[in-house]
Amino acid sequence: MLEKTFDAANVEPRLYQEWEKSGAFNAGAGKKDGQDNFCIVIPPPNVTGSLHMGHALNNTLQDIMIRYHRMQGKDVLWQPGMDHAGIATQMVVERQLAENNEPGRRDMGREKFLERVWQWKGESGGTIFNQLRRLGASADWSRERFTMDEGLSKAVQKVFIELYNEGLIYKDKRLVNWDPHFLTAISDLEVEQKEMNGHMWNLSYPIEGIEGRTITVSTTRPETMLGDTAVIVHPEDERYRDLIGKNVILPLVERKIPIIADDYVDLETGTGAMKVTPAHDFNDFDIGKRHDLPMINIMTREANIWLKDNEDFLQGLDMSEELQSTINALDGVERFKARKLIVAMFEEKGLLAGIDDHVNMTPHGDRSGVIIEPYLTDQWFVDAQTLAKPAIASVKEGRTNFVPKNWEKTYFEWMENIQPWCISRQLWWGHQIPAWYGPDEKVFVAATQSEAAEQAKAHYGEAVELIRDEDVLDTWFSSALWPFSTLGWPDKTPELERYYQTDVLVTGFDIIFFWVARMMMMSLHFMKEEPFHTVYVHALVRDEKGAKMSKSKGNVIDPLDLVDEYGADAVRFTLAAMAAQGRDIKLATSRVAGYRNFGTKLWNATRFTQMNGCARAEGFDPNSVKETVNRWIVTELAKTAKDVSEAIETYRFNDAANGLYRFVWNLYCDWYIELTKPVLQAEGESEAKTETQACVAWVLDQICVLLHPFMPFITEELWAETGKTGPAREGLLILGQWPSYDIDDTGAADDINWLVDIITAIRSVRSEMNIPPSTQLKLEIVGASDQTQSRLQAQDAVIKRLARADEIKLSSDVPQGSAQVVVGEATIALPLAGVIDLDAEKARLEKEIDKISKVAAKFEAKLGNERFVANAPVEIVQDQKAKLAEQQALKAKVQEALGRILAAL
RNA sequence: GGGUGAUUAGCUCAGCUGGUCAGAGCAUCUCGUUUACACCGAGAGGGUCGGGAGUUCGAAUCUCUCAUCACCCACCA
């Protein structure tokens, strides 16, 4: 006999071990008779990561599909693995070094530092996978991969070399987003624009040769004026037309820079004159290119002002004492301090024309949080525009589909405007770029140094010393290869052959650009086939009030805390039930508690079966059950199974979960079990009892199967429990067989619906009339049709039990002073003269009539509308007519009942 | 500046391709310990589906518009 509740904390780890030991997670485990494959690659979490709600949702949905398809008998692979997370990991290890007062990364040197990172990875990396295990994730852990594994690194190298040879990867000197904290370039995607309150400074630049005349430019970044190389005005601008072609004397540095015309300038904005700093602003960079302006970088990598020994800056300057002192004052100063100093200097010279408040979008590094500096450096880029073309076509032509579909628009929007992807990072942890430089900076890209040396020898005609590029690749470069690199590419492995193309990618919308788009590009280029046919994009998990969960807000719900409190099944079921497409999930823990209760409900239903001898029967055939109630429940089960399967296959996980919830609680527990009690608890043996016992057990079995993808632990446990009696069971539920039935008995459904109606109606009256549960009623049925009479006879015991009546008889008249309920054509009288309040009964019936009238009025209005009758489809009109007639008949009956009460009053 | 998604019972949300679609769960109220379950059972109250206009015989469901909120993208000094 089972305990009263399911002890998740104890059972879950045990069952998880059993599953793992059984090999059920391994690819091929569920395979039966050479059926289909099903493959999902996990979105690789950061090696530094720990489980948050987003992961919990993401992996729950994946596991539901994986378990579902496994039970379908497919050869299933859920490919797990982790991402090396360049910046994040380097950050963690550097912090650890600092905490231990150990030498920093630079003091340590590259090799030793990397050793430390590997050591850290071995000790603390990948805790997230143990957390996923607690959720019940049935990934094939034996195939776990890491983006820095030898195999995956080989794939990265091959991809880099091939793209380079095809001209799709190139090195370029241009402005990049520079993170002055981590001292590395980052891609556009790793930049977050944040609104900041700042100022707009108006700076006046004197015109060369025109005493007393200045031109005023507006800027949000005065410190960059040190690197100005032009002022531009609009060619049509009357105010400045005479100045075009002249020079300004750049204040402080006394550099002569030209005033040129460029229609980039907006006549309406600011003063209509713009300073141009090509080395520190993306727009200015383009303008500089257009006009072939010098690009003067005036900052160090740390974003401090750099003037001394800065050749580009010093070139062409006349070193005066004043300039020297300006340089002394500014050199090495942090950029925002320098800003203040420079503004003050302008003010002192009388060249500060004004300061306005200004709100501007400021770029921040998503990891470091510091303000990004547009910075002129040599970096490696991927020609994303070229790679994007087939990736766009693929989605346009439906070879890969987004669910929900509206994400395709976002995807197109981004892909069609894609910029070169900066892939080099000035970090150590990552895939070092396979490029070597000769004496004249000539690049040799090759898999190994010796290959590079050969190339160099061929080029120079002699052996030369080569220096390897220090940089590593963007982490997302390796993630982009995930669907094929994890399967063994570039080797032609059986897994690659078998599981590629994978099926579904499950992901949050926040990484569509980072990851999905790039997988599409790389996979199409190297595999010539889409990485997956479907991208299921799920929502963000927010807190109860809809706010994004974040540490700083302190509203983070830790999924493991929820698992501790309510069990993994409850957490999973909650997430599935709330995963309606296209909506964020606002997680309320009350929901989790509710679904924990759902598990308990099922648990106790199983206890009920045990107490009532409902053991599984050998060769039970749901198609041949005879009892109405049994025919009804198997019909409902068949419907539910069909709905759930369909919902899972169309990614409507909430519909699947809710369908199961409804069936288990509202049909199986609330009605089926109650309806079977009279038979099950009757003395002695009967065919009906034997059949019902078997049927109750069988449906419970099927519930476990259908619920297993959602609530794997409790169902597995119950499966084991119910396996202890009846015919021996083979194996674990995880490898059970997903059902589909062809059962549909509408007659039984009608009978039971009638039964439910009559019981509900009587209960309702009892409750409203305050008839205590202990009072046994005598029911008198008036006007019953033949069908109703036979139903009454068949269901006599059940009605008596559930409506709490000790006698049911047919009558020709309603006894005076009875409470009355109308069910179909029959009126059920509850003879309670003297017990009930007739005024209350009168009010109740009046209210009932009112309600019916309202419904009837709707149909009347429709049918009274000539145009409706003329235009609506015939079936609809017929349907509405029938419904109206039904309501009218009902109303007449209730009115009769009311008449009797009025007479009695 | 461009784009997307919201707005349905007190709360959190379902409602697909227009015709009982006005629903669920929590919360509330009443009653209940009948041996599966109080993490329970029975019953009840509660919304003119954000405002307005339109299409249609018929709209929560389609179109437009306004309002409010959220998010994403963007180099306007």
Side-chain angles (χ1 to χ4, degrees), chain A residues 362-412:
Chain A
T362 312
H364 289 73
D366 65 353
R367 287 280 167 195
S368 64
V370 302
I371 295 179
I372 291 304
E373 190 63 41
Y375 199 65
L376 191 60
T377 54
D378 278 311
Q379 301 288 346
W380 291 91
F381 294 90
V382 169
D383 177 357
Q385 215 176 346
T386 302
L387 291 174
K389 285 194 178 103
I392 292 168
S394 205
V395 176
K396 282 237 157 90
E397 290 157 21
R399 288 189 296 276
T400 289
N401 298 287
F402 280 73
V403 177
K405 201 162 181 63
N406 48 308
W407 287 109
E408 290 182 1
K409 191 165 179 179
T410 307
Y411 172 83
F412 291 139

Side-chain angles (χ1 to χ4, degrees), chain A residues 182-444:
Chain A
F182 288 121
L183 303 180
T184 178
I186 56 179
S187 73
D188 297 345
L189 285 176
E190 291 158 278
V191 175
E192 282 174 2
Q193 302 287 344
K194 287 187 196 161
E195 209 168 73
M196 289 184 84
N197 291 320
H199 301 284
M200 179 83 85
W201 286 271
N202 295 318
L203 306 179
S204 295
Y205 292 178
I207 311 290
E208 183 192 29
I210 308 180
E211 194 62 35
R213 177 119 186 239
T214 60
I215 188 167
T216 302
V217 296
S218 304
T219 181
T220 53
R221 304 201 51 202
E223 68 279 13
T224 62
M225 60 75 55
L226 297 168
D228 284 1
T229 53
V231 169
I232 58 171
V233 296
H234 197 277
E236 312 281 300
D237 196 333
E238 298 296 336
R239 294 170 291 184
Y240 304 117
R241 185 165 282 177
D242 62 317
L243 295 180
I244 295 170
K246 297 204 172 352
N247 288 329
V248 300
I249 308 289
L250 189 62
L252 310 184
V253 293
E254 306 288 314
R255 189 196 305 280
K256 284 180 203 165
I257 59 174
I259 299 171
I260 51 187
D262 192 303
D263 59 12
Y264 173 80
V265 179
D266 179 3
L267 288 165
E268 311 296 318
T269 307
T271 60
M274 256 183 82
K275 67 193 269 305
V276 181
T277 321
H280 290 281
D281 182 283
F282 287 100
N283 292 317
D284 294 11
F285 180 80
D286 292 339
I287 296 165
K289 282 244 154 153
R290 224 163 23 238
H291 297 284
D292 204 19
L293 298 172
M295 308 207 171
I296 303 175
N297 173 20
I298 51 113
M299 286 190 204
T300 62
R301 288 151 39 101
E302 292 79 10
N304 296 329
I305 301 296
W306 173 43
L307 303 176
K308 280 182 190 164
D309 72 24
N310 179 341
E311 286 175 22
D312 289 341
F313 175 74
L314 294 171
Q315 189 173 20
L317 294 185
D318 288 331
M319 191 52 66
S320 63
E321 241 175 72
E322 193 187 349
L323 176 56
Q324 192 59 57
S325 81
T326 304
I327 291 174
N328 288 341
L330 293 173
D331 189 70
V333 174
E334 188 268 339
R335 55 189 161 159
F336 300 111
K337 284 189 186 134
R339 175 179 297 178
K340 283 185 186 148
L341 289 176
I342 286 170
V343 170
M345 289 172 179
F346 267 79
E347 192 167 20
E348 200 179 316
K349 289 182 178 296
L351 293 174
L352 183 62
I355 308 175
D356 301 315
D357 288 339
H358 187 256
V359 177
N360 52 337
M361 294 300 275
T362 312
H364 289 73
D366 65 353
R367 287 280 167 195
S368 64
V370 302
I371 295 179
I372 291 304
E373 190 63 41
Y375 199 65
L376 191 60
T377 54
D378 278 311
Q379 301 288 346
W380 291 91
F381 294 90
V382 169
D383 177 357
Q385 215 176 346
T386 302
L387 291 174
K389 285 194 178 103
I392 292 168
S394 205
V395 176
K396 282 237 157 90
E397 290 157 21
R399 288 189 296 276
T400 289
N401 298 287
F402 280 73
V403 177
K405 201 162 181 63
N406 48 308
W407 287 109
E408 290 182 1
K409 191 165 179 179
T410 307
Y411 172 83
F412 291 139
E413 199 61 38
W414 191 71
M415 287 294 247
E416 280 161 7
N417 297 300
I418 200 162
Q419 298 297 308
W421 172 18
C422 176
I423 49 168
S424 41
R425 298 288 180 275
Q426 288 64 54
L427 306 171
W428 288 350
W429 176 239
H431 301 99
Q432 194 172 355
I433 293 175
W436 282 262
Y437 301 100
D440 55 354
E441 296 288 298
K442 164 85 185 159
V443 183
F444 301 96

Side-chain angles (χ1 to χ4, degrees), chain A residues 21-248:
Chain A
K21 215 167 57 191
S22 76
F25 297 172
N26 297 343
K31 191 169 154 56
K32 281 162 197 153
D33 307 329
Q35 287 184 19
D36 292 348
N37 305 317
F38 184 79
C39 178
I40 296 180
V41 290
I42 203 170
N46 286 356
V47 61
T48 55
S50 64
L51 194 75
H52 62 238
M53 269 302 166
H55 294 125
L57 170 65
N58 181 260
N59 289 286
T60 293
L61 299 183
Q62 290 176 74
D63 197 46
I64 287 170
M65 286 193 274
I66 286 291
R67 286 178 186 267
Y68 168 79
H69 286 282
R70 189 185 286 127
M71 292 172 92
Q72 295 261 7
K74 290 181 190 167
D75 176 3
V76 168
L77 169 60
W78 187 7
Q79 172 64 53
M82 273 183 300
D83 189 303
H84 66 276
I87 292 183
T89 308
Q90 201 165 303
M91 232 164 90
V92 167
V93 177
E94 284 193 88
R95 194 186 307 138
Q96 204 180 46
L97 291 176
E99 275 166 13
N100 297 346
N101 288 322
E102 286 180 82
R105 157 166 86 99
R106 284 168 205 290
D107 298 328
M108 225 174 197
R110 185 166 189 144
E111 206 174 319
K112 274 202 107 177
F113 178 73
L114 289 181
E115 258 174 47
R116 277 302 290 263
V117 181
W118 279 108
Q119 187 193 338
W120 173 88
K121 192 231 167 203
E123 288 162 5
S124 338
T127 53
I128 193 168
F129 282 155
N130 289 325
Q131 298 172 320
L132 282 179
R133 285 180 168 93
R134 292 210 48 204
L135 263 185
S138 61
D140 185 351
W141 302 111
S142 70
R143 292 191 46 83
E144 185 180 329
R145 296 289 184 271
F146 182 52
T147 44
M148 295 267 285
D149 282 350
E150 200 181 317
L152 275 72
S153 299
K154 202 164 97 185
V156 166
Q157 198 173 63
K158 185 177 167 75
V159 164
F160 185 94
I161 294 167
E162 288 192 10
L163 288 177
Y164 176 80
N165 290 336
E166 292 169 57
L168 294 170
I169 281 183
Y170 56 91
K171 197 165 190 189
D172 196 8
K173 180 165 193 149
R174 43 183 292 168
L175 280 193
V176 294
N177 302 296
W178 183 263
D179 186 318
H181 177 76
F182 288 121
L183 303 180
T184 178
I186 56 179
S187 73
D188 297 345
L189 285 176
E190 291 158 278
V191 175
E192 282 174 2
Q193 302 287 344
K194 287 187 196 161
E195 209 168 73
M196 289 184 84
N197 291 320
H199 301 284
M200 179 83 85
W201 286 271
N202 295 318
L203 306 179
S204 295
Y205 292 178
I207 311 290
E208 183 192 29
I210 308 180
E211 194 62 35
R213 177 119 186 239
T214 60
I215 188 167
T216 302
V217 296
S218 304
T219 181
T220 53
R221 304 201 51 202
E223 68 279 13
T224 62
M225 60 75 55
L226 297 168
D228 284 1
T229 53
V231 169
I232 58 171
V233 296
H234 197 277
E236 312 281 300
D237 196 333
E238 298 296 336
R239 294 170 291 184
Y240 304 117
R241 185 165 282 177
D242 62 317
L243 295 180
I244 295 170
K246 297 204 172 352
N247 288 329
V248 300

